[in-house]
Amino acid sequence: MEHIANITTGLDIAQIRKDFPILQQQVHGKPLVYFDNGATTQKPQVVIDAEARYYEEYNSNVHRGVHHLSQVATDAYEKARHIVAGYINAAHSHEIIFTKGTTDGINLVANTMSRRFLKAGDSVIISSMEHHSNIVPWQIACEEAGATLKVIPITEKGELRMDVYESMLDDTVKMVAVTYVSNTLGTVNPVQDIIALAHARNIPVLIDAAQAIQHISIDVQALQPDFLVFSGHKIYGPTGTGVLYGTTEWLNKLPPYQGGGDMIKTVTFAKTIYNELPYKFEAGTPNIAGSIALGTAIEYLQQIGLPEIQQREEALMAYAMQELRKIDGIRFIGDAKNRSGVISFLVHNIHPFDMGELLDQQGIAVRTGHHCTEPLMDLFQVPGTVRASLTFYNTKEEIDKLVAGVKRAASMLL
Ligand code: PLP
């Protein structure tokens, strides 16, 4: 347990860290200090076990067999869907579509939405701080429909220009797709206002919750997005898993994304009747083990308690910012009032890759580069940044090591 007044929560972090086998290892002879949680989070043993248990004890396809193993697998897979629905307070579990991840979910919506609802002269609104996966699918959709992609500008601090956003909402807009939390700046966007303003004009909204779902409590019935997407691997679950939440109304209005097994009710060569929700959007054999283990990851998080996690992460962020600010020549990329999980910075004119490599030699994992937000890098006129992304299992001591590591790297590189 840490004895730091502002970081101590009810959580026994030393004990919790033992749940994550990977955190016990050494890198380059130093204890691993993992600050790349924005890219992917580490997995607790219960998640690893849940995935293994499926293959060891009940590996079988879902929704297909009457035999015992298939029933067990189907029950576990559908239980995971209920866990996800409960976690985000979806009104119905059929509003939870299992996907490969955030990218897959956005592509699903952009593709099906544009096929049915986008035409020449229409427009789609995204923001300047989107991940490539919330830019490119909409570019493709707009190109194919002859529609225009419009981009909400941001301030120097990395906050959305809500006044400009409001003025952009005209009759041509058929979709708004924005990130809840920026993976590069850490900015927490006012998604409630974004949704309310769009809904006042009957425009649907997709929220990219890839960097929010693991840090912020989300109640989709209160927030009322039409779509919300996230990746399992960023919330302590397996890679290749994810969730698309959509309202029953919208999911019923959209055409299927992919055709194949499971998404059909009946097939003849003349005509196919599609399956009901959620199966209409889950063509083929899904990542059964992964989705089951994603359910376990969410249960693990719920056992620790999202409010406690949030409180700890806020304290860690505040401490990290306070200590990093003391470094000579440091410049933060993004300094929003409301932020979560992510700190992007540069020190003097040191290239982020050089800084990243020297930190790695000290056992400290940070992300360097454009973070899949190249347009944002262009806006800030930087080649990339060093990004430290925190989560609840990080410690004050690790932040101290990061700060010391950055100082040491700077002294070697300047
Ligand atoms: N959106 C945001 C904000 C992200 O941070 C990421 C991943 O870093 C993605 C989308 C894409 O997630 P995935 O690669 O898991 O599909």
Side-chain angles (χ1 to χ4, degrees):
M1 181 83 83
E2 287 168 323
H3 303 290
I4 310 301
N6 61 347
I7 293 184
T8 303
T9 58
L11 303 179
D12 184 347
I13 293 303
Q15 193 58 38
I16 284 174
R17 284 178 67 86
K18 290 190 186 145
D19 295 340
F20 294 81
I22 213 168
L23 296 180
Q24 319 308 323
Q25 73 173 285
Q26 304 230 320
V27 169
H28 304 307
K30 311 262 166 42
L32 168 66
V33 174
Y34 188 74
F35 280 128
D36 197 16
N37 297 286
T40 197
T41 52
Q42 299 303 347
K43 321 304 172 203
Q45 189 66 50
V46 284
V47 169
I48 300 165
D49 290 346
E51 184 141 2
R53 197 175 313 117
Y54 164 79
Y55 291 114
E56 283 167 4
E57 295 177 12
Y58 59 99
N59 173 43
S60 187
N61 216 326
V62 288
H63 309 136
R64 294 181 191 192
V66 289
H67 65 80
H68 174 72
L69 292 187
S70 178
Q71 299 280 356
V72 176
T74 303
D75 287 351
Y77 184 70
E78 292 306 325
K79 182 180 162 211
R81 199 188 305 277
H82 278 281
I83 293 169
V84 174
Y87 184 60
I88 60 172
N89 196 30
H92 310 282
S93 64
H94 66 238
E95 295 179 324
I96 303 300
I97 313 292
F98 283 126
T99 64
K100 287 189 291 183
T102 306
T103 305
D104 194 32
I106 296 172
N107 274 279
L108 188 162
V109 177
N111 177 290
T112 55
M113 180 68 120
S114 66
R115 273 164 43 215
R116 187 147 298 173
F117 294 101
L118 263 193
K119 57 181 187 333
D122 287 344
S123 62
V124 171
I125 293 181
I126 59 169
S127 88
S128 303
M129 65 175 88
E130 298 310 316
H131 188 279
H132 293 164
S133 64
N134 201 28
I135 301 174
V136 184
W138 298 111
Q139 270 175 339
I140 294 171
C142 286
E143 236 172 67
E144 292 193 353
T148 309
L149 191 64
K150 295 182 177 165
V151 184
I152 312 167
I154 54 171
T155 65
E156 272 178 17
K157 289 193 163 202
E159 291 170 330
L160 286 183
R161 289 282 310 273
M162 288 296 285
D163 53 331
V164 179
Y165 166 62
E166 201 170 345
S167 72
M168 290 164 74
L169 291 167
D170 59 28
D171 290 345
T172 68
V173 182
K174 293 295 175 314
M175 183 77 197
V176 173
V178 289
T179 193
Y180 199 143
V181 176
S182 159
N183 65 307
T184 301
L185 309 172
T187 308
V188 180
N189 285 320
V191 284
Q192 192 136 20
D193 297 341
I194 291 169
I195 292 169
L197 285 165
H199 282 183
R201 288 179 164 268
N202 285 324
I203 301 165
V205 180
L206 176 143
I207 299 296
D208 173 352
Q211 298 292 345
I213 195 72
Q214 64 285 54
H215 301 301
I216 299 172
S217 169
I218 295 178
D219 176 338
V220 288
Q221 290 188 72
L223 193 61
Q224 296 195 321
D226 301 274
F227 305 99
L228 182 132
V229 288
F230 63 89
S231 302
H233 70 97
K234 293 188 197 282
I235 182 170
Y236 316 102
T239 56
T241 66
V243 168
L244 160 66
Y245 159 82
T247 59
T248 303
E249 187 194 346
W250 267 108
L251 292 176
N252 275 328
K253 274 198 281 194
L254 294 180
Y257 180 41
Q258 294 180 320
D262 238 24
M263 55 76 70
I264 53 91
K265 242 189 188 125
T266 60
V267 180
T268 67
F269 286 119
K271 185 166 175 60
T272 292
I273 310 289
Y274 304 129
N275 208 341
E276 60 206 18
L277 296 175
Y279 313 111
K280 175 177 140 187
F281 291 107
E282 291 183 4
T285 300
N287 184 349
I288 304 167
S291 296
I292 292 169
L294 169 57
T296 306
I298 290 174
E299 282 183 324
Y300 175 81
L301 202 76
Q302 286 172 321
Q303 265 165 27
I304 294 176
L306 197 56
E308 287 75 14
I309 286 177
Q310 216 166 332
Q311 191 192 344
R312 177 174 172 84
E313 289 175 347
E314 276 167 21
L316 284 171
M317 274 291 283
Y319 181 70
M321 286 301 290
Q322 172 196 305
E323 295 305 302
L324 285 166
R325 273 190 211 285
K326 294 178 186 163
I327 295 173
D328 181 46
I330 197 162
R331 172 182 158 212
F332 295 99
I333 312 300
D335 205 2
K337 210 168 113 217
N338 198 359
R339 57 191 295 173
S340 170
V342 171
I343 303 172
S344 260
F345 61 90
L346 291 168
V347 181
H348 292 291
N349 58 352
I350 297 170
H351 197 282
F353 290 158
D354 296 334
M355 176 65 75
E357 268 178 32
L358 286 183
L359 287 174
D360 177 57
Q361 283 170 23
Q362 300 170 60
I364 302 169
V366 292
R367 180 82 180 266
T368 55
H370 55 61
H371 319 298
C372 297
T373 53
E374 278 189 52
L376 190 60
M377 297 295 98
D378 292 345
L379 264 179
F380 280 94
Q381 298 183 321
V382 292
T385 75
V386 180
R387 183 186 75 177
S389 45
L390 323 176
T391 192
F392 67 96
Y393 51 58
N394 288 122
T395 63
K396 177 182 171 289
E397 290 72 24
E398 287 182 320
I399 292 170
D400 292 340
K401 280 186 189 173
L402 172 69
V403 173
V406 171
K407 282 184 186 161
R408 185 177 317 154
S411 72
M412 290 164 78
L413 291 163
L414 284 171

